[in-house]
PDB file of all heavy atoms in Angstrom:
ATOM      1  N   ASP A   1       0.018  10.052  14.217  1.00 98.00           N
ATOM      2  CA  ASP A   1       0.594   8.708  14.118  1.00 98.00           C
ATOM      3  C   ASP A   1       0.342   8.153  12.718  1.00 98.00           C
ATOM      4  O   ASP A   1      -0.749   7.685  12.402  1.00 98.00           O
ATOM      5  CB  ASP A   1      -0.046   7.810  15.183  1.00 98.00           C
ATOM      6  CG  ASP A   1       0.621   6.444  15.285  1.00 98.00           C
ATOM      7  OD1 ASP A   1       1.541   6.169  14.490  1.00 98.00           O
ATOM      8  OD2 ASP A   1       0.216   5.653  16.165  1.00 98.00           O
ATOM      9  N   THR A   2       1.366   8.213  11.869  1.00 98.00           N
ATOM     10  CA  THR A   2       1.249   7.870  10.451  1.00 98.00           C
ATOM     11  C   THR A   2       2.256   6.797  10.081  1.00 98.00           C
ATOM     12  O   THR A   2       3.386   6.799  10.585  1.00 98.00           O
ATOM     13  CB  THR A   2       1.476   9.123   9.578  1.00 98.00           C
ATOM     14  OG1 THR A   2       0.517  10.118   9.927  1.00 98.00           O
ATOM     15  CG2 THR A   2       1.364   8.803   8.096  1.00 98.00           C
ATOM     16  N   GLN A   3       1.845   5.887   9.195  1.00 98.00           N
ATOM     17  CA  GLN A   3       2.735   4.837   8.713  1.00 98.00           C
ATOM     18  C   GLN A   3       2.626   4.719   7.200  1.00 98.00           C
ATOM     19  O   GLN A   3       1.622   5.063   6.605  1.00 98.00           O
ATOM     20  CB  GLN A   3       2.372   3.460   9.316  1.00 98.00           C
ATOM     21  CG  GLN A   3       2.326   3.396  10.831  1.00 98.00           C
ATOM     22  CD  GLN A   3       1.013   3.908  11.380  1.00 98.00           C
ATOM     23  OE1 GLN A   3      -0.037   3.675  10.788  1.00 98.00           O
ATOM     24  NE2 GLN A   3       1.071   4.609  12.494  1.00 98.00           N
ATOM     25  N   ILE A   4       3.702   4.216   6.615  1.00 98.00           N
ATOM     26  CA  ILE A   4       3.697   3.766   5.221  1.00 98.00           C
ATOM     27  C   ILE A   4       3.716   2.241   5.259  1.00 98.00           C
ATOM     28  O   ILE A   4       4.503   1.639   5.998  1.00 98.00           O
ATOM     29  CB  ILE A   4       4.935   4.289   4.461  1.00 98.00           C
ATOM     30  CG1 ILE A   4       4.710   5.722   3.957  1.00 98.00           C
ATOM     31  CG2 ILE A   4       5.283   3.387   3.297  1.00 98.00           C
ATOM     32  CD1 ILE A   4       3.925   5.806   2.661  1.00 98.00           C
ATOM     33  N   ILE A   5       2.858   1.615   4.458  1.00 98.00           N
ATOM     34  CA  ILE A   5       2.887   0.164   4.323  1.00 98.00           C
ATOM     35  C   ILE A   5       3.309  -0.155   2.897  1.00 98.00           C
ATOM     36  O   ILE A   5       2.675   0.303   1.937  1.00 98.00           O
ATOM     37  CB  ILE A   5       1.516  -0.475   4.618  1.00 98.00           C
ATOM     38  CG1 ILE A   5       1.001  -0.017   5.981  1.00 98.00           C
ATOM     39  CG2 ILE A   5       1.621  -2.006   4.577  1.00 98.00           C
ATOM     40  CD1 ILE A   5      -0.407  -0.504   6.296  1.00 98.00           C
ATOM     41  N   GLU A   6       4.389  -0.902   2.748  1.00 98.00           N
ATOM     42  CA  GLU A   6       4.868  -1.328   1.432  1.00 98.00           C
ATOM     43  C   GLU A   6       4.493  -2.785   1.202  1.00 98.00           C
ATOM     44  O   GLU A   6       4.687  -3.631   2.084  1.00 98.00           O
ATOM     45  CB  GLU A   6       6.384  -1.164   1.325  1.00 98.00           C
ATOM     46  CG  GLU A   6       6.858   0.283   1.310  1.00 98.00           C
ATOM     47  CD  GLU A   6       8.357   0.392   1.039  1.00 98.00           C
ATOM     48  OE1 GLU A   6       9.061  -0.637   1.172  1.00 98.00           O
ATOM     49  OE2 GLU A   6       8.804   1.497   0.700  1.00 98.00           O
ATOM     50  N   PHE A   7       4.002  -3.078   0.013  1.00 98.00           N
ATOM     51  CA  PHE A   7       3.644  -4.439  -0.372  1.00 98.00           C
ATOM     52  C   PHE A   7       4.597  -4.881  -1.481  1.00 98.00           C
ATOM     53  O   PHE A   7       4.720  -4.202  -2.509  1.00 98.00           O
ATOM     54  CB  PHE A   7       2.200  -4.493  -0.875  1.00 98.00           C
ATOM     55  CG  PHE A   7       1.183  -4.102   0.169  1.00 98.00           C
ATOM     56  CD1 PHE A   7       0.860  -2.764   0.366  1.00 98.00           C
ATOM     57  CD2 PHE A   7       0.560  -5.064   0.951  1.00 98.00           C
ATOM     58  CE1 PHE A   7      -0.085  -2.386   1.318  1.00 98.00           C
ATOM     59  CE2 PHE A   7      -0.381  -4.700   1.915  1.00 98.00           C
ATOM     60  CZ  PHE A   7      -0.698  -3.360   2.103  1.00 98.00           C
ATOM     61  N   ARG A   8       5.256  -6.022  -1.273  1.00 98.00           N
ATOM     62  CA  ARG A   8       6.273  -6.493  -2.217  1.00 98.00           C
ATOM     63  C   ARG A   8       6.045  -7.957  -2.593  1.00 98.00           C
ATOM     64  O   ARG A   8       5.527  -8.750  -1.801  1.00 98.00           O
ATOM     65  CB  ARG A   8       7.680  -6.332  -1.627  1.00 98.00           C
ATOM     66  CG  ARG A   8       8.090  -4.878  -1.380  1.00 98.00           C
ATOM     67  CD  ARG A   8       9.481  -4.770  -0.792  1.00 98.00           C
ATOM     68  NE  ARG A   8       9.863  -3.386  -0.570  1.00 98.00           N
ATOM     69  CZ  ARG A   8      10.438  -2.599  -1.485  1.00 98.00           C
ATOM     70  NH1 ARG A   8      10.734  -3.103  -2.690  1.00 98.00           N
ATOM     71  NH2 ARG A   8      10.740  -1.347  -1.211  1.00 98.00           N
ATOM     72  N   THR A   9       6.485  -8.291  -3.803  1.00 98.00           N
ATOM     73  CA  THR A   9       6.457  -9.672  -4.257  1.00 98.00           C
ATOM     74  C   THR A   9       7.637 -10.424  -3.660  1.00 98.00           C
ATOM     75  O   THR A   9       8.512  -9.830  -3.010  1.00 98.00           O
ATOM     76  CB  THR A   9       6.520  -9.734  -5.786  1.00 98.00           C
ATOM     77  OG1 THR A   9       7.742  -9.110  -6.215  1.00 98.00           O
ATOM     78  CG2 THR A   9       5.337  -8.999  -6.414  1.00 98.00           C
ATOM     79  N   ALA A  10       7.685 -11.732  -3.918  1.00 97.00           N
ATOM     80  CA  ALA A  10       8.769 -12.560  -3.368  1.00 97.00           C
ATOM     81  C   ALA A  10      10.139 -12.123  -3.875  1.00 97.00           C
ATOM     82  O   ALA A  10      11.154 -12.329  -3.188  1.00 97.00           O
ATOM     83  CB  ALA A  10       8.522 -14.029  -3.700  1.00 97.00           C
ATOM     84  N   ASP A  11      10.188 -11.532  -5.059  1.00 97.00           N
ATOM     85  CA  ASP A  11      11.475 -11.048  -5.587  1.00 97.00           C
ATOM     86  C   ASP A  11      11.723  -9.580  -5.239  1.00 97.00           C
ATOM     87  O   ASP A  11      12.536  -8.911  -5.872  1.00 97.00           O
ATOM     88  CB  ASP A  11      11.561 -11.270  -7.095  1.00 97.00           C
ATOM     89  CG  ASP A  11      10.457 -10.547  -7.860  1.00 97.00           C
ATOM     90  OD1 ASP A  11       9.586  -9.921  -7.206  1.00 97.00           O
ATOM     91  OD2 ASP A  11      10.463 -10.606  -9.104  1.00 97.00           O
ATOM     92  N   ASN A  12      11.007  -9.067  -4.243  1.00 98.00           N
ATOM     93  CA  ASN A  12      11.215  -7.742  -3.658  1.00 98.00           C
ATOM     94  C   ASN A  12      10.743  -6.598  -4.554  1.00 98.00           C
ATOM     95  O   ASN A  12      11.142  -5.448  -4.359  1.00 98.00           O
ATOM     96  CB  ASN A  12      12.694  -7.526  -3.290  1.00 98.00           C
ATOM     97  CG  ASN A  12      12.846  -6.514  -2.165  1.00 98.00           C
ATOM     98  OD1 ASN A  12      12.054  -6.489  -1.226  1.00 98.00           O
ATOM     99  ND2 ASN A  12      13.865  -5.672  -2.261  1.00 98.00           N
ATOM    100  N   LYS A  13       9.877  -6.870  -5.490  1.00 98.00           N
ATOM    101  CA  LYS A  13       9.333  -5.807  -6.335  1.00 98.00           C
ATOM    102  C   LYS A  13       8.222  -5.085  -5.584  1.00 98.00           C
ATOM    103  O   LYS A  13       7.279  -5.715  -5.087  1.00 98.00           O
ATOM    104  CB  LYS A  13       8.787  -6.391  -7.640  1.00 98.00           C
ATOM    105  CG  LYS A  13       8.113  -5.357  -8.556  1.00 98.00           C
ATOM    106  CD  LYS A  13       7.627  -5.993  -9.828  1.00 98.00           C
ATOM    107  CE  LYS A  13       6.808  -5.028 -10.682  1.00 98.00           C
ATOM    108  NZ  LYS A  13       7.588  -3.831 -11.087  1.00 98.00           N
ATOM    109  N   LEU A  14       8.317  -3.763  -5.500  1.00 98.00           N
ATOM    110  CA  LEU A  14       7.290  -2.957  -4.847  1.00 98.00           C
ATOM    111  C   LEU A  14       6.083  -2.857  -5.768  1.00 98.00           C
ATOM    112  O   LEU A  14       6.182  -2.368  -6.894  1.00 98.00           O
ATOM    113  CB  LEU A  14       7.832  -1.561  -4.535  1.00 98.00           C
ATOM    114  CG  LEU A  14       6.883  -0.606  -3.800  1.00 98.00           C
ATOM    115  CD1 LEU A  14       6.614  -1.095  -2.384  1.00 98.00           C
ATOM    116  CD2 LEU A  14       7.484   0.809  -3.763  1.00 98.00           C
ATOM    117  N   VAL A  15       4.899  -3.307  -5.279  1.00 98.00           N
ATOM    118  CA  VAL A  15       3.708  -3.302  -6.127  1.00 98.00           C
ATOM    119  C   VAL A  15       2.566  -2.466  -5.559  1.00 98.00           C
ATOM    120  O   VAL A  15       1.610  -2.155  -6.276  1.00 98.00           O
ATOM    121  CB  VAL A  15       3.206  -4.735  -6.400  1.00 98.00           C
ATOM    122  CG1 VAL A  15       4.225  -5.507  -7.226  1.00 98.00           C
ATOM    123  CG2 VAL A  15       2.875  -5.466  -5.108  1.00 98.00           C
ATOM    124  N   ALA A  16       2.638  -2.100  -4.290  1.00 98.00           N
ATOM    125  CA  ALA A  16       1.575  -1.269  -3.714  1.00 98.00           C
ATOM    126  C   ALA A  16       2.107  -0.557  -2.480  1.00 98.00           C
ATOM    127  O   ALA A  16       3.021  -1.036  -1.795  1.00 98.00           O
ATOM    128  CB  ALA A  16       0.348  -2.099  -3.353  1.00 98.00           C
ATOM    129  N   VAL A  17       1.510   0.602  -2.188  1.00 98.00           N
ATOM    130  CA  VAL A  17       1.884   1.414  -1.026  1.00 98.00           C
ATOM    131  C   VAL A  17       0.606   1.996  -0.433  1.00 98.00           C
ATOM    132  O   VAL A  17      -0.292   2.415  -1.162  1.00 98.00           O
ATOM    133  CB  VAL A  17       2.843   2.553  -1.429  1.00 98.00           C
ATOM    134  CG1 VAL A  17       3.102   3.487  -0.247  1.00 98.00           C
ATOM    135  CG2 VAL A  17       4.154   2.001  -1.975  1.00 98.00           C
ATOM    136  N   SER A  18       0.540   2.011   0.887  1.00 98.00           N
ATOM    137  CA  SER A  18      -0.603   2.630   1.563  1.00 98.00           C
ATOM    138  C   SER A  18      -0.101   3.580   2.641  1.00 98.00           C
ATOM    139  O   SER A  18       0.690   3.186   3.509  1.00 98.00           O
ATOM    140  CB  SER A  18      -1.507   1.561   2.185  1.00 98.00           C
ATOM    141  OG  SER A  18      -2.635   2.162   2.800  1.00 98.00           O
ATOM    142  N   LEU A  19      -0.547   4.830   2.589  1.00 98.00           N
ATOM    143  CA  LEU A  19      -0.282   5.820   3.627  1.00 98.00           C
ATOM    144  C   LEU A  19      -1.455   5.764   4.598  1.00 98.00           C
ATOM    145  O   LEU A  19      -2.607   5.977   4.207  1.00 98.00           O
ATOM    146  CB  LEU A  19      -0.150   7.210   3.008  1.00 98.00           C
ATOM    147  CG  LEU A  19       0.161   8.371   3.960  1.00 98.00           C
ATOM    148  CD1 LEU A  19       1.536   8.192   4.592  1.00 98.00           C
ATOM    149  CD2 LEU A  19       0.082   9.700   3.213  1.00 98.00           C
ATOM    150  N   THR A  20      -1.181   5.473   5.856  1.00 98.00           N
ATOM    151  CA  THR A  20      -2.228   5.139   6.818  1.00 98.00           C
ATOM    152  C   THR A  20      -1.998   5.853   8.140  1.00 98.00           C
ATOM    153  O   THR A  20      -0.856   5.955   8.601  1.00 98.00           O
ATOM    154  CB  THR A  20      -2.253   3.620   7.061  1.00 98.00           C
ATOM    155  OG1 THR A  20      -2.323   2.940   5.818  1.00 98.00           O
ATOM    156  CG2 THR A  20      -3.431   3.209   7.917  1.00 98.00           C
ATOM    157  N   ASP A  21      -3.068   6.337   8.747  1.00 98.00           N
ATOM    158  CA  ASP A  21      -3.013   6.939  10.085  1.00 98.00           C
ATOM    159  C   ASP A  21      -3.643   5.988  11.098  1.00 98.00           C
ATOM    160  O   ASP A  21      -4.616   5.289  10.794  1.00 98.00           O
ATOM    161  CB  ASP A  21      -3.782   8.263  10.123  1.00 98.00           C
ATOM    162  CG  ASP A  21      -3.120   9.364   9.319  1.00 98.00           C
ATOM    163  OD1 ASP A  21      -1.922   9.247   9.015  1.00 98.00           O
ATOM    164  OD2 ASP A  21      -3.813  10.351   8.999  1.00 98.00           O
ATOM    165  N   THR A  22      -3.104   5.995  12.308  1.00 98.00           N
ATOM    166  CA  THR A  22      -3.680   5.231  13.403  1.00 98.00           C
ATOM    167  C   THR A  22      -4.506   6.166  14.284  1.00 98.00           C
ATOM    168  O   THR A  22      -4.017   7.200  14.735  1.00 98.00           O
ATOM    169  CB  THR A  22      -2.587   4.559  14.248  1.00 98.00           C
ATOM    170  OG1 THR A  22      -1.846   3.655  13.413  1.00 98.00           O
ATOM    171  CG2 THR A  22      -3.197   3.762  15.395  1.00 98.00           C
ATOM    172  N   LEU A  23      -5.765   5.792  14.511  1.00 98.00           N
ATOM    173  CA  LEU A  23      -6.695   6.565  15.321  1.00 98.00           C
ATOM    174  C   LEU A  23      -6.998   5.838  16.621  1.00 98.00           C
ATOM    175  O   LEU A  23      -6.674   4.655  16.782  1.00 98.00           O
ATOM    176  CB  LEU A  23      -8.000   6.789  14.550  1.00 98.00           C
ATOM    177  CG  LEU A  23      -7.892   7.380  13.150  1.00 98.00           C
ATOM    178  CD1 LEU A  23      -9.251   7.344  12.466  1.00 98.00           C
ATOM    179  CD2 LEU A  23      -7.358   8.806  13.218  1.00 98.00           C
ATOM    180  N   ASP A  24      -7.646   6.521  17.539  1.00 98.00           N
ATOM    181  CA  ASP A  24      -8.040   5.878  18.794  1.00 98.00           C
ATOM    182  C   ASP A  24      -8.975   4.701  18.549  1.00 98.00           C
ATOM    183  O   ASP A  24      -8.951   3.718  19.288  1.00 98.00           O
ATOM    184  CB  ASP A  24      -8.743   6.890  19.716  1.00 98.00           C
ATOM    185  CG  ASP A  24      -7.794   7.946  20.253  1.00 98.00           C
ATOM    186  OD1 ASP A  24      -6.564   7.753  20.135  1.00 98.00           O
ATOM    187  OD2 ASP A  24      -8.283   8.967  20.771  1.00 98.00           O
ATOM    188  N   ASP A  25      -9.821   4.803  17.516  1.00 98.00           N
ATOM    189  CA  ASP A  25     -10.807   3.757  17.274  1.00 98.00           C
ATOM    190  C   ASP A  25     -10.587   3.014  15.964  1.00 98.00           C
ATOM    191  O   ASP A  25     -11.493   2.355  15.464  1.00 98.00           O
ATOM    192  CB  ASP A  25     -12.232   4.334  17.309  1.00 98.00           C
ATOM    193  CG  ASP A  25     -12.476   5.355  16.204  1.00 98.00           C
ATOM    194  OD1 ASP A  25     -11.494   5.780  15.552  1.00 98.00           O
ATOM    195  OD2 ASP A  25     -13.649   5.728  15.995  1.00 98.00           O
ATOM    196  N   GLY A  26      -9.376   3.094  15.404  1.00 98.00           N
ATOM    197  CA  GLY A  26      -9.130   2.325  14.199  1.00 98.00           C
ATOM    198  C   GLY A  26      -8.007   2.861  13.344  1.00 98.00           C
ATOM    199  O   GLY A  26      -7.086   3.520  13.831  1.00 98.00           O
ATOM    200  N   LEU A  27      -8.094   2.579  12.057  1.00 98.00           N
ATOM    201  CA  LEU A  27      -7.136   3.066  11.077  1.00 98.00           C
ATOM    202  C   LEU A  27      -7.847   3.947  10.066  1.00 98.00           C
ATOM    203  O   LEU A  27      -9.043   3.766   9.803  1.00 98.00           O
ATOM    204  CB  LEU A  27      -6.460   1.904  10.343  1.00 98.00           C
ATOM    205  CG  LEU A  27      -5.589   0.960  11.167  1.00 98.00           C
ATOM    206  CD1 LEU A  27      -4.997  -0.133  10.264  1.00 98.00           C
ATOM    207  CD2 LEU A  27      -4.475   1.711  11.881  1.00 98.00           C
ATOM    208  N   SER A  28      -7.108   4.875   9.491  1.00 98.00           N
ATOM    209  CA  SER A  28      -7.631   5.740   8.447  1.00 98.00           C
ATOM    210  C   SER A  28      -6.757   5.577   7.209  1.00 98.00           C
ATOM    211  O   SER A  28      -5.544   5.804   7.258  1.00 98.00           O
ATOM    212  CB  SER A  28      -7.621   7.207   8.898  1.00 98.00           C
ATOM    213  OG  SER A  28      -8.013   8.057   7.847  1.00 98.00           O
ATOM    214  N   ALA A  29      -7.365   5.152   6.110  1.00 98.00           N
ATOM    215  CA  ALA A  29      -6.647   4.983   4.846  1.00 98.00           C
ATOM    216  C   ALA A  29      -6.522   6.352   4.185  1.00 98.00           C
ATOM    217  O   ALA A  29      -7.481   6.855   3.599  1.00 98.00           O
ATOM    218  CB  ALA A  29      -7.390   4.002   3.947  1.00 98.00           C
ATOM    219  N   VAL A  30      -5.351   6.959   4.280  1.00 98.00           N
ATOM    220  CA  VAL A  30      -5.154   8.315   3.764  1.00 98.00           C
ATOM    221  C   VAL A  30      -5.033   8.303   2.243  1.00 98.00           C
ATOM    222  O   VAL A  30      -5.739   9.028   1.544  1.00 98.00           O
ATOM    223  CB  VAL A  30      -3.905   8.958   4.399  1.00 98.00           C
ATOM    224  CG1 VAL A  30      -3.662  10.351   3.821  1.00 98.00           C
ATOM    225  CG2 VAL A  30      -4.053   9.012   5.911  1.00 98.00           C
ATOM    226  N   TYR A  31      -4.123   7.466   1.723  1.00 96.00           N
ATOM    227  CA  TYR A  31      -3.954   7.371   0.274  1.00 96.00           C
ATOM    228  C   TYR A  31      -3.211   6.085  -0.051  1.00 96.00           C
ATOM    229  O   TYR A  31      -2.245   5.730   0.634  1.00 96.00           O
ATOM    230  CB  TYR A  31      -3.185   8.564  -0.289  1.00 96.00           C
ATOM    231  CG  TYR A  31      -3.259   8.653  -1.800  1.00 96.00           C
ATOM    232  CD1 TYR A  31      -4.388   9.191  -2.409  1.00 96.00           C
ATOM    233  CD2 TYR A  31      -2.233   8.175  -2.603  1.00 96.00           C
ATOM    234  CE1 TYR A  31      -4.487   9.262  -3.797  1.00 96.00           C
ATOM    235  CE2 TYR A  31      -2.323   8.240  -3.994  1.00 96.00           C
ATOM    236  CZ  TYR A  31      -3.456   8.779  -4.579  1.00 96.00           C
ATOM    237  OH  TYR A  31      -3.558   8.836  -5.948  1.00 96.00           O
ATOM    238  N   SER A  32      -3.660   5.386  -1.079  1.00 97.00           N
ATOM    239  CA  SER A  32      -3.011   4.155  -1.529  1.00 97.00           C
ATOM    240  C   SER A  32      -2.812   4.204  -3.035  1.00 97.00           C
ATOM    241  O   SER A  32      -3.606   4.815  -3.756  1.00 97.00           O
ATOM    242  CB  SER A  32      -3.851   2.928  -1.150  1.00 97.00           C
ATOM    243  OG  SER A  32      -4.014   2.820   0.256  1.00 97.00           O
ATOM    244  N   PHE A  33      -1.760   3.541  -3.503  1.00 97.00           N
ATOM    245  CA  PHE A  33      -1.514   3.425  -4.935  1.00 97.00           C
ATOM    246  C   PHE A  33      -0.798   2.109  -5.196  1.00 97.00           C
ATOM    247  O   PHE A  33      -0.278   1.472  -4.273  1.00 97.00           O
ATOM    248  CB  PHE A  33      -0.710   4.621  -5.456  1.00 97.00           C
ATOM    249  CG  PHE A  33       0.593   4.873  -4.748  1.00 97.00           C
ATOM    250  CD1 PHE A  33       1.779   4.330  -5.208  1.00 97.00           C
ATOM    251  CD2 PHE A  33       0.634   5.674  -3.614  1.00 97.00           C
ATOM    252  CE1 PHE A  33       2.986   4.572  -4.554  1.00 97.00           C
ATOM    253  CE2 PHE A  33       1.835   5.920  -2.946  1.00 97.00           C
ATOM    254  CZ  PHE A  33       3.004   5.365  -3.419  1.00 97.00           C
ATOM    255  N   TYR A  34      -0.794   1.700  -6.467  1.00 97.00           N
ATOM    256  CA  TYR A  34      -0.284   0.365  -6.771  1.00 97.00           C
ATOM    257  C   TYR A  34       0.160   0.283  -8.223  1.00 97.00           C
ATOM    258  O   TYR A  34      -0.085   1.198  -9.028  1.00 97.00           O
ATOM    259  CB  TYR A  34      -1.355  -0.692  -6.484  1.00 97.00           C
ATOM    260  CG  TYR A  34      -2.702  -0.392  -7.119  1.00 97.00           C
ATOM    261  CD1 TYR A  34      -2.984  -0.783  -8.421  1.00 97.00           C
ATOM    262  CD2 TYR A  34      -3.675   0.306  -6.417  1.00 97.00           C
ATOM    263  CE1 TYR A  34      -4.207  -0.499  -9.009  1.00 97.00           C
ATOM    264  CE2 TYR A  34      -4.904   0.594  -6.994  1.00 97.00           C
ATOM    265  CZ  TYR A  34      -5.157   0.189  -8.287  1.00 97.00           C
ATOM    266  OH  TYR A  34      -6.366   0.479  -8.870  1.00 97.00           O
ATOM    267  N   ASP A  35       0.815  -0.823  -8.562  1.00 97.00           N
ATOM    268  CA  ASP A  35       1.326  -1.060  -9.905  1.00 97.00           C
ATOM    269  C   ASP A  35       0.147  -1.279 -10.857  1.00 97.00           C
ATOM    270  O   ASP A  35      -0.562  -2.284 -10.749  1.00 97.00           O
ATOM    271  CB  ASP A  35       2.227  -2.291  -9.884  1.00 97.00           C
ATOM    272  CG  ASP A  35       2.907  -2.547 -11.230  1.00 97.00           C
ATOM    273  OD1 ASP A  35       2.500  -1.943 -12.237  1.00 97.00           O
ATOM    274  OD2 ASP A  35       3.839  -3.380 -11.264  1.00 97.00           O
ATOM    275  N   PRO A  36      -0.090  -0.371 -11.796  1.00 95.00           N
ATOM    276  CA  PRO A  36      -1.245  -0.509 -12.686  1.00 95.00           C
ATOM    277  C   PRO A  36      -1.102  -1.645 -13.694  1.00 95.00           C
ATOM    278  O   PRO A  36      -2.075  -2.026 -14.340  1.00 95.00           O
ATOM    279  CB  PRO A  36      -1.304   0.848 -13.399  1.00 95.00           C
ATOM    280  CG  PRO A  36       0.112   1.338 -13.377  1.00 95.00           C
ATOM    281  CD  PRO A  36       0.693   0.846 -12.082  1.00 95.00           C
ATOM    282  N   GLN A  37       0.111  -2.200 -13.803  1.00 95.00           N
ATOM    283  CA  GLN A  37       0.321  -3.313 -14.731  1.00 95.00           C
ATOM    284  C   GLN A  37      -0.082  -4.658 -14.129  1.00 95.00           C
ATOM    285  O   GLN A  37      -0.286  -5.627 -14.854  1.00 95.00           O
ATOM    286  CB  GLN A  37       1.804  -3.365 -15.152  1.00 95.00           C
ATOM    287  CG  GLN A  37       2.335  -2.072 -15.758  1.00 95.00           C
ATOM    288  CD  GLN A  37       1.528  -1.619 -16.956  1.00 95.00           C
ATOM    289  OE1 GLN A  37       1.168  -2.430 -17.804  1.00 95.00           O
ATOM    290  NE2 GLN A  37       1.239  -0.321 -17.030  1.00 95.00           N
ATOM    291  N   GLN A  38      -0.222  -4.688 -12.812  1.00 94.00           N
ATOM    292  CA  GLN A  38      -0.579  -5.947 -12.126  1.00 94.00           C
ATOM    293  C   GLN A  38      -2.101  -6.090 -12.095  1.00 94.00           C
ATOM    294  O   GLN A  38      -2.731  -6.131 -11.029  1.00 94.00           O
ATOM    295  CB  GLN A  38       0.000  -5.933 -10.710  1.00 94.00           C
ATOM    296  CG  GLN A  38       1.496  -5.763 -10.640  1.00 94.00           C
ATOM    297  CD  GLN A  38       2.234  -7.102 -10.679  1.00 94.00           C
ATOM    298  OE1 GLN A  38       1.663  -8.149 -10.453  1.00 94.00           O
ATOM    299  NE2 GLN A  38       3.529  -7.039 -10.945  1.00 94.00           N
ATOM    300  N   THR A  39      -2.698  -6.190 -13.261  1.00 93.00           N
ATOM    301  CA  THR A  39      -4.156  -6.123 -13.353  1.00 93.00           C
ATOM    302  C   THR A  39      -4.861  -7.333 -12.748  1.00 93.00           C
ATOM    303  O   THR A  39      -5.990  -7.217 -12.276  1.00 93.00           O
ATOM    304  CB  THR A  39      -4.581  -5.962 -14.821  1.00 93.00           C
ATOM    305  OG1 THR A  39      -4.008  -7.036 -15.582  1.00 93.00           O
ATOM    306  CG2 THR A  39      -4.090  -4.633 -15.378  1.00 93.00           C
ATOM    307  N   THR A  40      -4.238  -8.492 -12.760  1.00 95.00           N
ATOM    308  CA  THR A  40      -4.919  -9.697 -12.271  1.00 95.00           C
ATOM    309  C   THR A  40      -4.973  -9.768 -10.750  1.00 95.00           C
ATOM    310  O   THR A  40      -5.744 -10.545 -10.196  1.00 95.00           O
ATOM    311  CB  THR A  40      -4.225 -10.959 -12.800  1.00 95.00           C
ATOM    312  OG1 THR A  40      -2.863 -10.988 -12.331  1.00 95.00           O
ATOM    313  CG2 THR A  40      -4.246 -10.982 -14.324  1.00 95.00           C
ATOM    314  N   ARG A  41      -4.187  -8.959 -10.082  1.00 97.00           N
ATOM    315  CA  ARG A  41      -4.128  -9.014  -8.620  1.00 97.00           C
ATOM    316  C   ARG A  41      -5.244  -8.217  -7.935  1.00 97.00           C
ATOM    317  O   ARG A  41      -5.525  -8.452  -6.772  1.00 97.00           O
ATOM    318  CB  ARG A  41      -2.775  -8.490  -8.124  1.00 97.00           C
ATOM    319  CG  ARG A  41      -1.602  -9.435  -8.338  1.00 97.00           C
ATOM    320  CD  ARG A  41      -0.347  -8.878  -7.694  1.00 97.00           C
ATOM    321  NE  ARG A  41       0.798  -9.767  -7.779  1.00 97.00           N
ATOM    322  CZ  ARG A  41       1.089 -10.724  -6.902  1.00 97.00           C
ATOM    323  NH1 ARG A  41       0.277 -10.901  -5.854  1.00 97.00           N
ATOM    324  NH2 ARG A  41       2.157 -11.474  -7.038  1.00 97.00           N
ATOM    325  N   SER A  42      -5.835  -7.239  -8.606  1.00 96.00           N
ATOM    326  CA  SER A  42      -6.816  -6.342  -7.972  1.00 96.00           C
ATOM    327  C   SER A  42      -6.212  -5.734  -6.708  1.00 96.00           C
ATOM    328  O   SER A  42      -6.757  -5.832  -5.601  1.00 96.00           O
ATOM    329  CB  SER A  42      -8.104  -7.100  -7.641  1.00 96.00           C
ATOM    330  OG  SER A  42      -8.679  -7.654  -8.789  1.00 96.00           O
ATOM    331  N   LEU A  43      -5.079  -5.066  -6.891  1.00 97.00           N
ATOM    332  CA  LEU A  43      -4.305  -4.588  -5.745  1.00 97.00           C
ATOM    333  C   LEU A  43      -5.037  -3.528  -4.934  1.00 97.00           C
ATOM    334  O   LEU A  43      -4.870  -3.458  -3.713  1.00 97.00           O
ATOM    335  CB  LEU A  43      -2.955  -4.043  -6.230  1.00 97.00           C
ATOM    336  CG  LEU A  43      -1.944  -5.113  -6.647  1.00 97.00           C
ATOM    337  CD1 LEU A  43      -0.773  -4.490  -7.394  1.00 97.00           C
ATOM    338  CD2 LEU A  43      -1.448  -5.892  -5.428  1.00 97.00           C
TER     339      LEU A  43
END
């Protein structure tokens, strides 16, 4: 059971993505990445 989570700004710019698995007892963060230019956000 795997999902992609997309994070976007109000103008629909994609700034972060997280590949995540759902487990019986929680979530597993498989891999995440983000816009390296958005330094003030601490994405």
Side-chain angles (χ1 to χ4, degrees):
D1 188 357
T2 301
Q3 305 82 37
I4 277 278
I5 307 175
E6 292 187 344
F7 298 85
R8 296 180 180 273
T9 60
D11 60 357
N12 206 39
K13 176 179 173 60
L14 182 67
V15 294
V17 174
S18 182
L19 181 65
T20 308
D21 291 342
T22 299
L23 307 172
D24 291 346
D25 63 348
L27 296 180
S28 175
V30 178
Y31 193 80
S32 299
F33 55 93
Y34 51 86
D35 185 346
Q37 304 304 317
Q38 302 271 343
T39 55
T40 61
R41 286 185 176 273
S42 301
L43 286 167

